[in-house]
Amino acid sequence: MSVSQETAAALVQELFELQRVMRRVLKESTAERDLSVVQMSLLSHLASVPARRAKDIGADSGLGASVMSRQLSHLEKLGFIERAPDPEDGRAQLVKITEQGRRAVADHLEADTQRLIERLGVLSEDDAAQTREGLNRLTDIFLTSLGLERMTTCLPQVDPESAHGARIPHAPQGPATHTTTTETTHRLEDNVL
């Protein structure tokens, strides 16, 4: 049985309202953040994949070439990413996250989590888990319909020393624990910037 027009329209309205309010929530924390939401999303993605060309990162994120170039330059100046010649094409460069960049991702996710805990204080643990499960399911449905995969640290971590970018498996997790509310927030925010 498919979703009715009325239910789908109500869900779309709720998703747009969530995007709007998450922009406000994130904007309020701007003064406390060293990295923008876009920069944090890029670093989270780079923490989950082997070194990649900037154009491929741009294709995954939906960012234009000029925005991507500016963001990567800023992250490089901060020491969060580094570039190296692509061994398969000397004209191209590969971008990878540094250990300092990985620490920045962990620090920002922890800070975002603490800020969200304060806002989510009215939810019980069960309510929060059900909400996360619902958001995960919607995200999976949308990603599947687009033929895309998740871009953030919920993916298995990549061994940066591996020549082929071998994935380091995560510890097994339940079906509702493969992403965080913060990661979902970052994906939603990135899509409306």
Side-chain angles (χ1 to χ4, degrees):
M1 183 170 155
S2 64
V3 176
S4 71
Q5 180 77 19
E6 184 178 330
T7 300
L11 183 57
V12 167
Q13 288 176 332
E14 289 298 329
L15 289 172
F16 281 130
E17 185 65 10
L18 178 60
Q19 286 178 323
R20 184 190 70 78
V21 75
M22 285 311 304
R23 269 190 306 247
R24 293 286 301 269
V25 166
L26 292 169
K27 189 174 183 178
E28 280 188 15
S29 68
T30 299
E32 302 167 28
R33 302 175 70 88
D34 297 330
L35 298 171
S36 72
V37 174
V38 171
Q39 291 164 348
M40 182 60 190
S41 180
L42 287 171
L43 283 178
S44 293
H45 178 56
L46 287 169
S48 304
V49 298
R52 314 195 58 197
R53 292 182 182 185
K55 71 175 186 167
D56 295 330
I57 299 167
D60 288 342
S61 68
L63 295 175
S66 64
V67 172
M68 177 62 60
S69 177
R70 277 194 315 273
Q71 297 299 336
L72 291 179
S73 291
H74 182 71
L75 292 172
E76 188 174 29
K77 285 177 188 170
L78 293 172
F80 294 158
I81 65 164
E82 58 188 19
R83 302 178 206 226
D86 184 343
E88 296 178 13
D89 180 355
R91 300 168 296 172
Q93 290 186 323
L94 296 177
V95 178
K96 74 175 190 175
I97 192 168
T98 63
E99 281 308 311
Q100 185 178 350
R102 288 182 190 281
R103 283 191 303 274
V105 169
D107 291 347
H108 276 74
L109 287 177
E110 177 62 27
D112 285 344
T113 298
Q114 291 307 313
R115 282 189 285 274
L116 280 179
I117 284 172
E118 294 169 16
R119 291 185 186 274
L120 298 175
V122 296
L123 288 178
S124 70
E125 183 67 21
D126 287 342
D127 288 342
Q130 287 177 357
T131 301
R132 184 185 64 216
E133 186 175 331
L135 288 171
N136 283 335
R137 186 154 186 229
L138 277 175
T139 301
D140 286 341
I141 289 168
F142 292 152
L143 288 169
T144 299
S145 73
L146 295 168
L148 299 174
E149 294 181 4
R150 289 181 181 267
M151 286 183 47
T152 58
T153 55
C154 57
L155 291 170
Q157 295 296 299
V158 172
D159 180 356
E161 302 304 316
S162 168
H164 302 291
R167 295 197 182 273
I168 301 170
H170 276 306
Q173 297 176 329
T177 62
H178 59 282
T179 190
T180 65
T181 304
T182 303
E183 291 172 82
T184 302
T185 300
H186 285 264
R187 282 192 302 275
L188 287 172
E189 183 67 10
D190 291 346
N191 289 331
V192 295
L193 290 176

